[in-house]
Amino acid sequence: MRALVEQSINLYAAILLIVSFAMISQRRILSLVHLYTAQGVTLVLATLTVAGLTRQPDLYVSAALTAVLKVIVIPLGLHRIIDRMNVRWDVEPLLNIPMTMLVGIVLVVFSFNLAMPISQLSSSIARGTLGIALACVLLSFMMMIVRAKAIPQVIGFLAMENGLFFAATAATNGMPMIVELGIALDVLVGVLILSVFMFQIREQFDSLDIRHLEQLRDDGKDER
Amino acid sequence: MTADPVVLLALLIAVPIFGGMALAFLGHSRRGPGINVAFSGLTLLVAAALTTEVVQGGPVLGLGERFFIDPLNAFLVALTALVGFTTALFSRPYMRIERERGKMTGPRMRLFHSMYQLFIAMMLVALTTNNLGVLWVAMEAATLTTVLLVSVYRTPASLEAAWKYFILCGVGIAQALFGTLLLYLAADRVIGGGEGALLWTHLAAVKAQLEPNILALAFVFLLVGYGTKVGLVPLHNWLPDAHAEGPTPISAVLSGLLLNVALYAILRCKVLADGAMTNGLPGRSMIGFGILSVVVAAFFLRRQRDAKRMFAYSSIEHMGLMTFAFGLGGPVANFAGLLHMTVHSLTKSAIFFAVGHAAQRAGSQMMDDIRGLLAAGPTLGWGLLLGSLSILGVPPFGVFTSEFLILTSAMRQLPWAAPVLLLALGVAFAAVFARVQSMVFGDSNLPPVRHPPALLPVFVHLGLVLMLGLYVPPFLAGWYRQAAALIGG
Amino acid sequence: MTISGAVAQLLEIALALAGAPLLLGWVDQCRARLQNRRAPPLVQPYRVLRKLFNKESVVADSASALFRMAPYAKFGCMTLACAIVPTVSTDLPLATAADAIALVGLFALARTCLALAAMDIGTAFGGMGARRDMLIGFLAEPALLMTLFCVSLITHSTSLANMVETMNRRPFGLEPSLAFAGIAFTIVSLAENTRIPVDNPATHLELTMIHEALVLEYSGRHLAMLEWAASLKMFAYSCIGLALFFPWGIAEIDTPLAMITAVPVLAFKLAIGGVGLALIETISAKMRIFRVPEYLATAFLLAVIGLLVHQLLGA
């Protein structure tokens, strides 16, 4: 039974990786938000499993915090933003999707290689999953780069933070409580600020296309 | 009179936080700027008292080892409080004029003043905390407080600048979080988990036992992450935009204070990494980033037409120089780096004060539109001229001393780097001086403004820099030496 | 070559030849029931085959020998494929002829023959169908290979018989790499067997055809062979999937009598698989042809991720 539970952490890690991949190959913004929620749920389950296996009460609190923040509050906020701003459904990728997926595979191989020597040194229960966490971070980073709209960039940012949280759970059985609280607060405030931002951008440009925000340049030819 | 340093520490953080909350309600009133100055002044007094305690009594560990003040961050705390106070003084008339011109409204003034105080609070937390995780949280919080301020004018350019700032710094700081995590992993193996594993004092005590592989990877992530906030090339894209589009007081504190705190974070991690690794990787990577930043920034300086953007690139250049110095290591280079941190902070904020007022009078930030400052307002013109000469490393200002020390250490330890740096500094000198000359001399076409500019801070800063160039007081020199020894390398 | 081995081999071939149209009929029935239509009888494919065999085969004047040979070639390849895949037993004398990689090669041979034959006549639809089929095959083959590699990495062998035996003996556990390989395999088999969401096997509109366009020119016994070969292909793919991911019930070398129970077990598993296939076909819509490369790229990526996850996690 215990072996099965330990294996379930590997399953959660694999699901996280798949969700990250699915995010970079999505065409619709609404499904991005759903995938982010799925990521949050997987994180909560993984944290609960690690908490149960290592008997650390801190991790239960951390799991509860993640559940409230990443499964309920932030997706609700994103849904509200999408509704209020009548965002068009298309994600507008700057790089076509099969190419994005190929680059994603390269990133995954790279992060697995990078994490291999370290995960052998870790003593935590889910150490093999550090590579997957790093891969999720890099995939979200790539998603931020190859998307031309504001909301996918924001979701990429949040997904990157999810990957880091999973890395913390995987490699070190969770960071100290105060750090986790601080990070959660930062994420919440960050999302609030970003939503304020998006309203301002929308007001100014009548669209959430990031390519409007490329006017400042360094070749002395900026349009002011 | 000796006060308990722990109480002073608590006050140091509590005063600006309380100020931020108070100004959230009172910031828009006529007395708002004055209240801002009062809180900053109080913070300065507490910081001065705390610093004297540390100088006399030695390092302080407070609140269950969660806070820690040693020679390295003591002078940074004092510097932060000082520049915070003078910038608050500067922003009083500056923001009044902006308000009259309609660029700032009541709610925005509330936001500005409360976020300003919170920003100072977060920086002080980042400087005094012993917990590397809390350091990360405070750095992120400091970014968050200023993000909304960069876009406070609501122009398309300022929105773009603020968005870039948030996204780029956010991504950067996520890398730093990963680095912190790896540090925690390394510490976990040696001293066990829990909160103690992230305390810098604990880690410094066992740094030789930390696993070199993990530390190497951790340092790379931390350097890239916090280096984004320092403005190292190629991660610097947010810096010129944020400085140019935000209100001038924010440019002053960003350049003068936030970059320093980010560099301080890198230094703390470098101490740990150097202790664990023997191959000098941290130093070499810092040298590489430093030289790259200096050279790239110097060449970009020439193409700028906006005054604040140009001085933002100058900040990148000087932060690169400091990173280079700390990468070199050794007592002289570290001393020079610390001195440079101080004088750069004071000079750059003074320049931004002067440029801010000049731009306000001319109604535009473009250097082509600002002419004849000496004729229009002698104090303003002299402030800008002396400030520019100072930042370009003209003796007898302090920047010359630190740059001289850095270059001589480079010539001793890394001979090929010295001519490269000299060339870059020369290019920067030519570019900046030509521009400043055209701004300062000649006939003036600037309309007068109603409120007299607050130029006292400019001259106080420049005076301090001049003094540091001619004569470093013994307690300060001793302090720098202790901090340099702490950084080691 | 033992007696039990020979018996197992012959049983497999007979089962495949007889049962493949039945599987097709079952899938059609399930689909009809799910879509609230009246279902055709289960033996309908047999009737179609009998009808076609009794009809005259009309061949164009410009057709070459390739055109006449292709149906037999494909039929032969498919029969051999069904003979190699361990459906009821792993004790197959012919299994030494081909391992997993050669199996993929068999499918490729069949596909090439048919594509060439379709282009042989020179009609527009034949060429178009050939091109589309090759596109799908070109992308599906790497994905299929990756899936097989994933499983062979776990079982340390590329021979299908060894794979099945090793998988049978492993303790039950949650293995994400196998899950990913399974999903990838499902996507690939949907594409290769010309099912919705890649291709509609019942379409009459030539411009939407992929596989149907290839057999447009055939009639009579040639068409019968091709239809039978298509159902054999689906049977083979289903059996590969079952053998790799649900190998319980397949007899092994030392338990020949287990073959008796293996046949009903196989029938049961195929029945469930058929329901699943009908469900997928009913839920999905046919995707536009330029989306098919993305779809297959997803399968490839899933298989690669499964491989990498296995390497990293050992699971």
Side-chain angles (χ1 to χ4, degrees), chain C residues 149-227:
Chain C
F149 282 158
C150 192
V151 181
S152 52
L153 253 182
I154 297 179
T155 58
H156 299 289
S157 154
T158 55
S159 153
L160 280 168
N162 284 350
M163 276 199 239
V164 170
E165 286 185 4
T166 320
M167 293 300 282
N168 229 344
R169 297 208 185 104
R170 281 161 70 86
F172 181 73
L174 293 167
E175 297 188 39
S177 51
L178 276 182
F180 292 156
I183 299 176
F185 185 79
T186 315
I187 296 178
V188 167
S189 59
L190 284 174
E192 285 269 337
N193 289 310
T194 69
R195 298 271 132 200
I196 294 176
V198 176
D199 180 20
N200 186 355
T203 182
H204 303 296
L205 307 167
E206 287 90 348
L207 288 174
T208 63
M209 288 179 182
I210 299 179
H211 177 80
E212 293 298 310
L214 290 171
V215 300
L216 215 51
E217 295 293 322
Y218 282 105
S219 54
R221 63 177 184 282
H222 294 142
L223 187 55
M225 299 247 83
L226 284 174
E227 293 288 326

Side-chain angles (χ1 to χ4, degrees), chain A residues 118 121 200 204 213 218, chain B residues 154 160 189 217 309 313:
Chain A
I118 296 180
L121 297 168
Q200 289 180 2
Q204 190 60 239
L213 295 178
D218 271 328
Chain B
R154 300 274 195 281
E160 177 184 342
R189 285 169 52 78
L217 200 63
R309 252 179 115 82
Y313 273 105

Side-chain angles (χ1 to χ4, degrees), chain B residues 83-84 87 116 119-120 123 139 142-147 149-151 161-162 165 169 229-231 238-263 311-312 315-316 319 344-345 348-349 352-353:
Chain B
V83 175
T87 310
Y116 183 83
F119 174 66
I120 303 280
M123 280 204 293
M139 292 279 324
T143 312
L144 290 175
T145 47
T146 42
V147 150
L149 292 181
V150 171
S151 76
Y165 179 32
C169 279
K229 296 208 64 79
V230 170
W238 61 274
L239 217 160
D241 296 333
H243 279 72
E245 303 304 325
T248 312
I250 297 302
S251 314
V253 289
L254 275 181
S255 249
L257 299 179
L258 189 59
L259 304 185
N260 273 355
V261 175
L263 191 56
F311 284 115
S315 290
I316 298 180
M319 295 313 285
H344 172 259
S345 177
K348 194 46 71 61
S349 36
F352 272 114
F353 296 159

Side-chain angles (χ1 to χ4, degrees), chain C residues 55 59 102 122 175 179 192 235 253 274 287 313:
Chain C
K55 282 199 171 179
V59 174
E175 297 188 39
E192 285 269 337
F235 187 83
I253 288 190
M287 61 172 65
L313 297 177

Side-chain angles (χ1 to χ4, degrees), chain B residues 123-473:
Chain B
M123 280 204 293
L124 289 171
V125 168
L127 283 174
T128 54
T129 181
N130 196 9
N131 186 325
L132 288 171
V134 175
L135 172 64
W136 184 90
V137 172
M139 292 279 324
E140 173 77 348
T143 312
L144 290 175
T145 47
T146 42
V147 150
L148 281 175
L149 292 181
V150 171
S151 76
V152 82
Y153 289 148
R154 300 274 195 281
T155 60
S158 67
L159 278 177
E160 177 184 342
W163 180 263
K164 253 199 224 175
Y165 179 32
F166 189 101
I167 293 286
L168 286 175
C169 279
V171 168
I173 216 148
Q175 317 294 321
L177 182 59
F178 192 72
T180 315
L181 213 138
L182 286 173
L183 265 182
Y184 183 60
L185 180 65
D188 188 50
R189 285 169 52 78
V190 177
I191 51 181
E195 204 179 320
L198 271 179
L199 294 180
W200 189 84
T201 39
H202 290 189
L203 285 172
V206 297
K207 61 188 178 195
Q209 302 166 26
L210 296 170
E211 188 71 43
N213 288 337
I214 305 185
L215 259 285
L217 200 63
F219 185 75
V220 167
F221 274 103
L222 285 164
L223 182 59
V224 168
Y226 287 132
T228 312
K229 296 208 64 79
V230 170
L232 296 175
V233 174
L235 311 156
H236 66 288
N237 278 308
W238 61 274
L239 217 160
D241 296 333
H243 279 72
E245 303 304 325
T248 312
I250 297 302
S251 314
V253 289
L254 275 181
S255 249
L257 299 179
L258 189 59
L259 304 185
N260 273 355
V261 175
L263 191 56
Y264 160 80
I266 297 182
L267 282 179
R268 287 287 192 205
C269 301
K270 177 176 183 274
V271 172
L272 297 176
D274 270 340
M277 298 191 277
T278 49
N279 58 358
L281 176 72
R284 284 196 307 239
S285 31
M286 284 173 80
I287 290 178
F289 272 114
I291 297 187
L292 188 62
S293 307
V294 173
V295 171
V296 170
F299 282 97
F300 267 110
L301 263 176
R302 292 173 42 240
R303 302 159 130 206
Q304 301 309 315
R305 298 182 309 165
D306 179 325
K308 288 209 279 190
R309 252 179 115 82
M310 185 179 77
F311 284 115
Y313 273 105
S314 165
S315 290
I316 298 180
E317 186 194 0
H318 283 277
M319 295 313 285
L321 202 56
M322 279 182 244
T323 316
F324 173 79
F326 289 124
L328 273 181
V332 179
N334 283 339
F335 180 94
L338 290 167
L339 181 61
H340 201 84
M341 268 173 124
T342 323
V343 293
H344 172 259
S345 177
L346 292 168
T347 316
K348 194 46 71 61
S349 36
I351 291 182
F352 272 114
F353 296 159
V355 168
H357 273 308
Q360 231 176 16
R361 280 197 70 171
S364 150
Q365 275 173 209
M366 294 293 164
M367 292 189 277
D368 295 329
D369 296 335
I370 307 177
R371 289 245 175 278
L373 283 174
L374 273 177
T379 38
L380 190 56
W382 278 111
L384 186 58
L385 186 60
L386 288 176
S388 314
L389 285 176
S390 163
I391 200 72
L392 291 173
V394 170
F397 287 102
V399 181
F400 173 75
T401 321
S402 53
E403 282 185 0
F404 180 77
L405 285 172
I406 294 177
L407 284 170
T408 44
S409 327
M411 276 193 266
R412 251 200 316 264
Q413 292 172 254
L414 207 63
W416 60 266
V420 174
L421 288 174
L422 263 173
L423 180 67
L425 288 172
V427 168
F429 186 98
V432 173
F433 193 66
R435 293 294 199 174
V436 169
Q437 203 176 25
S438 64
M439 278 201 283
V440 161
F441 295 120
D443 295 322
S444 160
N445 58 352
L446 302 177
V449 276
R450 234 176 59 161
H451 298 281
L455 285 171
L456 186 62
V458 177
F459 290 106
V460 163
H461 281 196
L462 289 176
L464 280 172
V465 174
L466 186 61
M467 181 195 81
L468 284 174
L470 295 170
Y471 164 74
V472 181

Side-chain angles (χ1 to χ4, degrees), chain A residues 45-93:
Chain A
L45 287 173
T47 317
L48 282 175
T49 318
V50 175
L53 281 174
T54 56
R55 279 179 247 289
Q56 274 183 304
D58 270 355
L59 282 175
Y60 286 115
V61 177
S62 167
L65 200 63
T66 312
V68 168
L69 192 62
K70 291 180 187 160
V71 180
I72 302 181
V73 173
I74 293 185
L76 264 177
L78 287 171
H79 275 292
R80 265 195 58 197
I81 293 176
I82 292 179
D83 283 337
R84 296 238 324 241
M85 295 210 275
N86 257 333
V87 175
R88 280 191 56 224
W89 59 270
D90 188 25
V91 144
E92 265 195 63

